[in-house]
C-alpha cells in the first residue's frame, strides 16, 4: 500500500506544467519578435531622417536657385533698359 502513497501527477498538474512551458516559449518568441520589430522601426526611422534631410537640402537649393533666377531676371530687365536708352531714336 505504500506504493500508492506517492503523489501522482494528475491531469490538471500536467496541463498547467505544459501550459507553463508553452507560455515561457511564447514569452521568449514575443521578446524576440519585439526585438526584431524594434530594429525594423529604428531602421525605418533612420531612413525617414535621411529622407527628411534630403528634402531639406533640396528645398534650400530650390530657394537659392529661385533667388538666382530673380537676380538674373532683374539683371536682364536692367540690361534691356540700358539697350533701350542707348539705342532709342532721338526725337
Amino acid at each position: 500500500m505504500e506504493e500508492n502513497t506517492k503523489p501522482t501527477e494528475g491531469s490538471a498538474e500536467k496541463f498547467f506544467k505544459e501550459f507553463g512551458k508553452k507560455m515561457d516559449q511564447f514569452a521568449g518568441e514575443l521578446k524576440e519578435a519585439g526585438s526584431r520589430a524594434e530594429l525594423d522601426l529604428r531602421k525605418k526611422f533612420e531612413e525617414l531622417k535621411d529622407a527628411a534631410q534630403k528634402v531639406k537640402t533640396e528645398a534650400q537649393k530650390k530657394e537659392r536657385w529661385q533667388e538666382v533666377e530673380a537676380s538674373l531676371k532683374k539683371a536682364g530687365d536692367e540690361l534691356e533698359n540700358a539697350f533701350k536708352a542707348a539705342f532709342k531714336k532721338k526725337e
Side-chain angles (χ1 to χ4, degrees):
M1 224 179 352
E2 289 194 26
E3 289 178 26
N4 289 339
T5 58
K6 289 185 179 178
T8 58
E9 191 173 40
S11 62
E13 288 86 5
K14 284 182 183 178
F15 169 78
F16 284 114
K17 187 176 182 180
E18 287 299 314
F19 181 75
K21 287 179 182 179
K22 289 181 181 180
M23 285 301 294
D24 289 342
Q25 181 183 0
F26 176 72
E29 290 172 2
L30 186 61
K31 184 177 180 181
E32 184 181 323
S35 296
R36 283 193 312 261
E38 182 181 359
L39 289 174
D40 288 345
L41 287 174
R42 286 183 188 269
K43 182 180 175 183
K44 289 291 183 187
F45 179 71
E46 290 300 321
E47 288 173 3
L48 286 173
K49 279 181 20 181
D50 291 344
Q53 185 61 38
K54 287 179 184 177
V55 167
K56 182 179 176 183
T57 302
E58 289 301 317
Q60 289 173 344
K61 288 180 183 177
K62 184 178 179 181
E63 289 172 1
R64 185 184 79 212
W65 285 109
Q66 285 176 344
E67 184 180 328
V68 168
E69 183 181 353
S71 296
L72 288 173
K73 182 167 175 37
K74 185 178 176 183
D77 292 342
E78 291 295 321
L79 187 59
E80 180 183 9
N81 291 338
F83 274 111
K84 284 181 182 177
F87 296 109
K88 78 177 179 179
K89 293 183 181 177
K90 293 189 179 190
E91 295 177 16

